[in-house]
Amino acid sequence: MNRVGVSVRGAPGHGPLSRFSGWKRRLRSAAMVCCTIGMVNLAVAQAVPSAGDAPSPMGPHERSVGEWLVRLQQASRVPSFVGTFVVTSATGAMSSARIWHVCEGDVQLERIEALSGIPRSIFRRNQSVVTFYPQARVAITDQRDAGGAFPNLLTANSSASIADHYVAKELGQSRVAGFDADVVYLKPRDDLRYGYRIWSERNTGLVIKTQTVDAKGAVLEQSAFSELQLNARVPAVKLTRMMERTEGYKVEKPSRVATTPAAEGWALSSEVPGFRSQSCYRHTADQSSGMVQWVFSDGLATVSLFMEPFDAHRHTAEGVAAMGATHTMTKRLPDAQGPWWVTAVGEVPPGTLKALASRLQRKP
Amino acid sequence: MDTQIRVQSSAERCSALMDGQLPGNEVGAAIASMGVEAEGRDCWQVYHLIGDVLRSPDLALHGRDMALAQRVAAVIANEPVTQLVPTPVAQVQSEPSYIARPAANDGVFRWKMVAGWASFAAVAAVGWTMVSGIGPRSTTGPQLAQSAVPAVAPSQVLAVAAPVPAAAGAGEADASAPVMLRDARLDELLVAHRQAAGGAPMGGASGFLRNATFEGHGR
């Protein structure tokens, strides 16, 4: 629980010294402002002045939520790693994938080979994502919104918002996938969201394990590296080439267009604490009846509201369903121009879905 | 003498067969001979009885019905051969609301964005636990999907649902009553949700990696 001094943690506490200096060299050549712990803390001081206890350069120090988030996010810029990633949910579902990750300068490259389910390879170059389905010979290209996995997202604003709704409690140290990790619990301040236990690799901050925890302390979902090599050799050029190799594949794009809730005639009567509108899409597939997706986030948890015209044949069952941390809620919404069917999906307690869906209003 | 040797070897072969120690080329012959020789069959039964009793003494009380195989064979021989007629279509038509109901991931709903993932979501082991509400209607809802889907889209959907009693509370998922529902439509929306969500603002074991890995969620 008692934190080791920040300046001490900046030094390689374990592991071969050559490895450490190796990645320092690469960092410098990439001219990145990150990863060395002192600088991260410096960034924290600038980015999150309101986030509570200012980092003292010496002596024991417990990080605030904002500091933790900056540290965790910066860690996605570790030069490279290779590992096996396992996701399990409380319902017993388990999935795993082999991960290759490399960061050069501002470019993050990732290759994910699914080890369970339908064979597929997912490549990510910053926000560009290509998913190859070798059996169907289909490749889907997509641009993701700048989610948290990417640099530059964590503005002082969103970080402060997270700090409004979560408290960081350090839980000590533990060992995961052969690495010493600091364990922190991001505890929700209300019952509209779940808590997250996070294992962060001591030297780099890389998140090597997370658990989603409900109010009773039960683990709803867990993601973890079962095996991990930091600073493994991952040739970025090779990953880029693999990502671009779409010959023989039918390349498809997801058919959705960005829009605004107002343009689609939707509004919320009042805000659900912490959950702010992130984006809105209209799905445009062949006969998909103009479904609108409105995305909310409190910085950690995300909720999607799907609105479509009510169809008595298909929309039979109102209610709530759960799969690990993910809940869905379906609801019929009466309207003068004909009823709507609302489906709320998110990694939040059912009450949050209900709160959002019940505030949904038609404002054409 | 000759018989004695034969029986002995038959018993040994039986023992070896049960232990999986009979060479592959002799397995067929051993089984064939046991099919015609009463001693062989008896030996097989007795050895299994011994094995059962060694594993659980309770089984000794029940013994073994030596004539069971013959009786089953006799019944099968006398069984009238019935023609198998595919009747599910008629059953589906008896409920008109089903007819108009397309498969959850049929063309009507199949967004291009999930074209490559629809089959994936359907096959993935997604189990939705009903928390509240959907229960009472689900006796018509999901079960309909079960009967209607093969008729409409035989190759795509694995919508399987268990009868879902309504949970009393609308609170947290009740782990003590894990009623699973598979719903391709929910899975599709989940895919769209994950795509738009981006991921929690953490690198490594979170957000994108989690979404990409969790095949149960169709990613």
Side-chain angles (χ1 to χ4, degrees):
Chain A
M1 206 61 179
N2 209 13
R3 310 294 314 133
V4 184
V6 172
S7 54
V8 175
R9 199 158 343 106
H14 58 83
L17 203 75
S18 56
R19 192 179 67 182
F20 180 79
S21 60
W23 60 253
K24 255 173 110 179
R25 202 169 44 245
R26 295 185 64 177
L27 282 181
R28 208 178 305 123
S29 70
M32 290 196 331
V33 188
C34 69
C35 290
T36 51
I37 307 306
M39 299 194 83
V40 169
N41 276 300
L42 204 72
V44 168
Q46 290 165 348
V48 206
S50 63
D53 38 41
S56 54
M58 291 295 186
H61 160 66
E62 186 153 333
R63 294 184 181 93
S64 69
V65 176
E67 291 170 86
W68 269 108
L69 291 172
V70 170
R71 176 171 165 80
L72 301 179
Q73 200 196 15
Q74 296 284 12
S76 66
R77 295 191 188 180
V78 296
S80 68
F81 61 81
V82 177
T84 305
F85 192 62
V86 182
V87 184
T88 47
S89 89
T91 55
M94 186 186 111
S95 312
S96 59
R98 187 84 183 142
I99 314 276
W100 290 259
H101 176 102
V102 59
C103 179
E104 285 193 356
D106 285 339
V107 180
Q108 277 188 39
L109 276 161
E110 218 154 51
R111 172 186 172 200
I112 298 163
E113 289 288 333
L115 300 176
S116 49
I118 297 235
R120 61 207 186 279
S121 313
I122 300 140
F123 291 86
R124 177 173 75 84
R125 185 187 169 86
N126 290 351
Q127 275 101 315
S128 306
V129 177
V130 184
T131 307
F132 292 90
Y133 293 90
Q135 289 177 338
R137 307 300 289 175
V138 169
I140 299 180
T141 63
D142 195 7
Q143 286 290 321
R144 297 302 167 91
D145 284 344
F150 314 111
N152 313 326
L153 165 88
L154 202 66
T155 60
N157 214 0
S158 77
S159 168
S161 148
I162 293 172
D164 284 344
H165 302 285
Y166 297 88
V167 198
K169 285 174 67 175
E170 298 190 354
L171 301 179
Q173 280 79 42
S174 161
R175 199 158 162 275
V176 177
F179 291 90
D180 289 327
D182 295 319
V183 191
V184 63
Y185 179 37
L186 300 182
K187 186 176 186 289
R189 290 182 193 262
D190 57 27
D191 56 4
L192 288 172
R193 52 213 106 229
Y194 289 128
Y196 300 92
R197 261 187 229 123
I198 295 163
W199 282 253
S200 160
E201 202 273 320
R202 292 206 76 184
N203 284 332
T204 61
L206 182 70
V207 178
I208 44 184
K209 177 174 165 181
T210 60
Q211 289 180 339
T212 309
V213 186
D214 72 8
K216 294 173 201 149
V219 175
L220 302 176
E221 190 181 297
Q222 172 172 298
S223 307
F225 285 101
S226 63
E227 171 269 320
L228 177 69
Q229 296 163 259
L230 278 179
N231 306 309
R233 274 179 56 83
V234 182
V237 183
K238 197 175 152 206
L239 284 199
T240 306
R241 219 179 289 136
M242 289 173 81
M243 182 169 177
E244 288 162 355
R245 202 179 295 146
T246 52
E247 308 98 72
Y249 281 81
K250 188 175 172 232
V251 180
E252 295 180 0
K253 279 188 189 310
S255 51
R256 56 161 198 251
V257 292
T259 177
T260 63
E264 300 295 334
W266 293 103
L268 282 195
S269 61
S270 62
E271 201 181 65
V272 174
F275 286 92
R276 290 203 293 224
S277 172
Q278 297 290 302
S279 51
C280 190
Y281 303 100
R282 167 174 279 272
H283 292 276
T284 56
D286 340 323
Q287 301 136 53
S288 149
S289 40
M291 171 178 288
V292 172
Q293 179 181 9
W294 191 0
V295 183
F296 297 84
S297 175
D298 73 348
L300 291 179
T302 311
V303 176
S304 291
L305 295 182
F306 295 91
M307 287 77 76
E308 60 189 315
F310 178 73
D311 177 345
H313 291 305
R314 295 187 280 120
H315 303 143
T316 52
E318 285 191 327
V320 176
M323 183 172 57
T326 309
H327 285 86
T328 66
M329 197 206 75
T330 44
K331 182 175 182 272
R332 189 172 174 275
L333 184 69
D335 181 58
Q337 268 85 51
W340 294 83
W341 185 250
V342 180
T343 307
V345 181
E347 287 73 36
V348 293
T352 312
L353 299 181
K354 284 179 189 160
L356 277 165
S358 68
R359 284 165 167 79
L360 196 60
Q361 282 183 341
R362 201 60 201 141
K363 282 212 176 144
Chain B
M1 188 62 183
D2 201 31
T3 312
Q4 183 63 34
I5 288 168
R6 194 169 51 80
V7 169
Q8 178 118 18
S9 85
S10 156
E12 279 170 2
R13 268 193 304 171
C14 179
S15 173
L17 178 64
M18 281 176 58
D19 294 340
Q21 288 167 348
L22 207 60
N25 54 356
E26 290 180 32
V27 170
I31 291 174
S33 76
M34 243 176 268
V36 291
E37 293 170 15
E39 304 102 317
R41 277 201 302 275
D42 292 347
C43 179
W44 177 260
Q45 301 240 20
V46 168
Y47 280 9
H48 273 88
L49 177 61
I50 293 168
D52 287 348
V53 172
L54 284 174
R55 279 185 286 273
S56 169
D58 293 347
L59 294 172
L61 301 174
H62 303 287
R64 226 158 228 278
D65 185 350
M66 297 296 186
L68 178 66
Q70 282 99 320
R71 287 208 309 279
V72 170
V75 170
I76 290 173
N78 292 330
E79 190 99 328
V81 179
T82 40
Q83 206 69 33
L84 292 177
V85 182
T87 52
V89 173
Q91 287 172 359
V92 168
Q93 278 168 350
S94 68
E95 174 55 74
S97 73
Y98 287 156
I99 301 291
R101 178 191 178 90
N105 59 354
D106 199 7
V108 179
F109 289 123
R110 192 169 51 85
W111 315 329
K112 272 187 182 159
M113 58 168 281
V114 278
W117 314 6
S119 58
F120 164 52
V123 173
V126 176
W128 290 100
T129 307
M130 304 321 302
V131 176
S132 73
I134 299 184
R137 295 232 196 141
S138 69
T139 46
T140 58
Q143 282 187 337
L144 265 184
Q146 194 176 21
S147 57
V149 158
V152 182
S155 65
Q156 268 210 348
V157 181
L158 285 178
V160 182
V164 183
E172 303 291 311
D174 186 0
S176 66
V179 181
M180 304 302 279
L181 171 85
R182 297 191 56 179
D183 188 319
R185 177 58 168 169
L186 281 190
D187 295 347
E188 268 181 25
L189 296 186
L190 197 48
V191 168
H193 167 67
R194 298 226 186 286
Q195 280 188 317
M202 296 170 257
S206 65
F208 183 77
L209 291 187
R210 177 256 192 187
N211 289 349
T213 301
F214 208 164
E215 52 93 7
H217 297 63
R219 181 185 149 194

